[in-house]
Amino acid sequence: MTTAWEIKQYDSIDSTSLEAKRLIGQGHGHGVVVSARTQTAGRGRLNRVWDSAADAGIWFSVILEPDVPMEQMSLYSFVAAVAVAEAVRETAGLAVQVKWPNDVLSGGRKLCGILLELVAERNQPLRIIMGIGINASQQLADFPEEVQQKATSLALETGKAIDRNLVLDAVLRWLDVYSRQLEQSGFEPVKKRWQELSCMSGKAIQIVRQGEALLYGTALGIADDGALLVQTEHGVERIIAGDVSLRAADGGYVV
Ligand code: ADP
């Protein structure tokens, strides 16, 4: 069944994920989408700031009640990444890449961030809040200085103005497609699509955690639980958390 999405549109909000959590507290559930023109406290992983300037991007969070076992809930970050990739290809004509655990890149720069949160309330189904931020109309100078090094937008990549509502609608449509695939066929189809879109397979990478290089190796792919598989000199390691950088031509590590 396709989801009857209910889009709640805000001008300005602290964060669409926080609002989604408040809405869950008020009894809202599956299919509610919180979209805002700007976020004043948008966040990425580890509470890192997500720059969400007014009307510059597609800033939204989706509430889902997935029909999968608990241990598969985190796989929805891959569902989100492939859905964004398909939507951007369809609406902006842009071929993007995905990067573990939950980034969408264009030309090696971050186009979109994804943040998944699990919400367990007493006597209620487990829910996911899927936060998605897609940079749309920014020029490089519009980003904070630290972000300018690694970010891009649909406008920068395509040279065109993109209708943000069209992109949002397409992401929601593809979310339905890939959520259903995960529920009905398991992780394999989503995993296959993610690996086709991956910018990492076979590449030399570095895993960084808490600012420290943890591991160097070659990215192999993802496991059935979403862990990143890395070939190191000591064998294959499974990575479940961390930031990945790819080795550049000069031997340094980027993004
Ligand atoms: P993800 O979980 O998507 O990797 P992060 O937690 O890395 O997200 O996202 C936060 C980081 O992304 C920030 O530390 C900042 O460097 C960068 N960032 C912040 N805002 C943006 C943006 N609008 N576009 C691209 N990168 C951004």
Side-chain angles (χ1 to χ4, degrees), residues 71-179:
E71 62 274 13
Q72 289 195 344
M73 291 280 186
S74 63
L75 300 179
Y76 276 81
S77 66
F78 300 98
V79 167
V82 292
V84 168
E86 305 291 12
V88 164
R89 178 182 50 76
E90 194 180 276
T91 56
L94 182 64
V96 294
Q97 298 79 46
V98 297
K99 180 172 157 243
W100 191 90
N102 53 5
D103 285 334
V104 178
L105 309 180
S106 182
R109 288 169 164 268
K110 195 139 122 181
L111 178 73
C112 164
I114 291 162
L115 187 70
L116 222 65
E117 227 176 303
L118 213 58
V119 183
E121 301 255 329
R122 271 163 65 96
N123 302 325
Q124 294 210 25
L126 265 181
R127 297 199 177 96
I128 285 172
I129 297 176
M130 180 186 279
I132 298 178
I134 306 172
N135 296 323
S137 62
Q138 296 99 329
Q139 296 299 308
L140 268 193
D142 298 332
F143 291 110
E145 212 172 296
E146 173 251 350
V147 177
Q148 286 179 20
Q149 321 286 333
K150 50 187 170 187
T152 191
S153 68
L154 294 173
L156 279 167
E157 295 301 307
T158 65
K160 285 184 282 201
I162 309 288
D163 181 333
R164 285 177 287 135
N165 287 325
L166 271 187
V167 181
L168 174 59
D169 285 349
V171 174
L172 295 175
R173 192 159 23 81
W174 282 104
L175 270 183
D176 244 350
V177 170
Y178 283 112
S179 301

Side-chain angles (χ1 to χ4, degrees), residues 1 67-68 72 76 177-187 189:
M1 234 181 46
D67 184 16
V68 299
Q72 289 195 344
Y76 276 81
V177 170
Y178 283 112
S179 301
R180 210 167 326 128
Q181 281 194 9
L182 184 64
E183 291 175 6
Q184 294 178 354
S185 314
F187 189 35

